[in-house]
Amino acid sequence: MRRLIFAAKAVLFMGGGILTMILSVGIATSVSAQESQPINFSHKLHATNDNIPCQYCHSYARRSYSSGVPPVSVCVGCHGTNEMPLVRADKAQYPEADKARGYWARQEPIPWVKIHDIPDFVRFPHKKHINADANRFRDDADTACDMQKDDRSLACRVGYFKKGDDDRCVACHGNVKAMDVVQMVDADFGKMGWCLQCHLQVKGAKERKSALTTLGGWFNAKEEDIERAAKIGLKNPKGYHNPNLTDCYTCHY
């Protein structure tokens, strides 16, 4: 959708007709994206009712930059093929499961519509976040969390992240487990300030940001005593220097 909007701006001086056409396409995409999935896949049914972990299907999240779109083989691994149905095989009662079998039979990928997207110039490695050490957060980073009042507050998002496992997915994507149709719960999802909010909750991030760069922070750290270095998280338990999470190149190539 963002690319379509940018394209509309690019042809602003090329004539009202072209501009109107592209804008209409952009509006249609934005309105229908959440409703136009090729299969009515309910995360609530699979992840909550059937208690399937997020990473059973999104198996690349802990080992790759991308969380991965589940291949059709994952679907038919449970639902079976047309010849060997396993779960919810009744085509009349469960037509959505039969759609997955159809893609498998035709050897076609399921053309899912992407809901959570970030610009191509942003580097977000899922594996680093899924496997991150929660102890690097400041001790008071999640103390102000009030789940009843606002479970999408910064403190609550940090709290989800610190819990680990599937709750780390909730920290950024919201409670997808409770959704029949996936949608974004944070209007600022993926924006720079939204990401930096969490990065600034890491021990030492606020103290070190005046150093401007990781390299500058490293030279400053050499002049400080070991106790201070440990206190603000300049070094990890292995003795290596932790990167500054507010550096530009942490998220941008």
Side-chain angles (χ1 to χ4, degrees), residues 100-149:
R101 299 187 190 101
Y103 282 104
W104 175 260
R106 296 189 298 273
Q107 298 186 7
E108 297 176 357
I110 301 174
W112 299 110
V113 177
K114 193 170 187 178
I115 302 300
H116 296 89
D117 199 9
I118 55 177
D120 293 340
F121 55 80
V122 177
R123 175 177 57 190
F124 181 89
H126 275 79
K127 62 180 181 181
K128 286 187 176 294
H129 291 79
I130 292 295
N131 299 314
D133 181 6
N135 292 322
R136 290 192 62 195
F137 278 108
R138 298 188 348 257
D139 295 334
D140 63 342
D142 61 336
T143 54
C145 172
D146 186 340
M147 287 289 183
Q148 299 300 320
K149 184 177 180 180

Side-chain angles (χ1 to χ4, degrees), residues 122 124 157 188 190-200 251:
V122 177
F124 181 89
R157 286 190 281 122
D188 293 330
K191 294 182 180 178
M192 185 172 176
W194 187 81
C195 296
L196 279 174
Q197 282 183 326
C198 283
H199 280 200
L200 286 170
C251 301

Side-chain angles (χ1 to χ4, degrees), residues 44-45 53 94 96 102 104 134 153 159 170:
K44 182 178 180 180
L45 171 64
Y94 304 108
E96 303 306 309
W104 175 260
S153 66
V170 176

Side-chain angles (χ1 to χ4, degrees), residues 49-244:
N49 296 0
D50 295 338
N51 201 30
I52 300 174
C54 298
Q55 293 185 52
Y56 180 83
C57 295
H58 299 282
S59 58
Y60 298 107
R62 62 185 178 273
R63 58 173 68 97
S64 177
Y65 269 63
S66 171
S67 62
V69 176
V72 190
S73 58
V74 172
C75 303
V76 298
C78 289
H79 292 288
T81 64
N82 285 321
E83 295 76 24
M84 299 177 62
L86 299 177
V87 180
R88 302 189 187 281
D90 190 321
K91 297 180 182 180
Q93 189 175 1
Y94 304 108
E96 303 306 309
D98 197 51
K99 288 181 183 179
R101 299 187 190 101
Y103 282 104
W104 175 260
R106 296 189 298 273
Q107 298 186 7
E108 297 176 357
I110 301 174
W112 299 110
V113 177
K114 193 170 187 178
I115 302 300
H116 296 89
D117 199 9
I118 55 177
D120 293 340
F121 55 80
V122 177
R123 175 177 57 190
F124 181 89
H126 275 79
K127 62 180 181 181
K128 286 187 176 294
H129 291 79
I130 292 295
N131 299 314
D133 181 6
N135 292 322
R136 290 192 62 195
F137 278 108
R138 298 188 348 257
D139 295 334
D140 63 342
D142 61 336
T143 54
C145 172
D146 186 340
M147 287 289 183
Q148 299 300 320
K149 184 177 180 180
D150 182 11
D151 69 336
R152 298 309 300 163
S153 66
L154 173 61
C156 289
R157 286 190 281 122
V158 172
Y160 280 124
F161 193 92
K162 290 175 71 174
K163 289 180 182 178
D165 297 324
D166 283 353
D167 281 322
R168 291 214 165 165
C169 305
V170 176
C172 291
H173 295 286
N175 191 14
V176 176
K177 284 186 172 184
M179 299 180 188
D180 283 314
V181 179
V182 176
Q183 56 185 326
M184 285 199 300
V185 295
D186 295 327
D188 293 330
F189 174 87
K191 294 182 180 178
M192 185 172 176
W194 187 81
C195 296
L196 279 174
Q197 282 183 326
C198 283
H199 280 200
L200 286 170
Q201 306 312 307
V202 173
K203 294 176 182 177
K206 293 181 179 178
E207 294 87 344
R208 295 174 62 200
K209 64 178 182 175
S210 60
L212 299 181
T213 66
T214 292
L215 187 60
W218 184 78
F219 280 113
N220 289 335
K222 290 183 66 176
E223 300 174 5
E224 303 294 341
D225 56 51
I226 297 176
E227 182 178 353
R228 178 180 181 277
K231 182 179 179 181
I232 68 171
L234 288 177
K235 292 184 179 180
N236 59 35
K238 294 183 179 180
Y240 297 111
H241 185 260
N242 282 322
N244 191 349

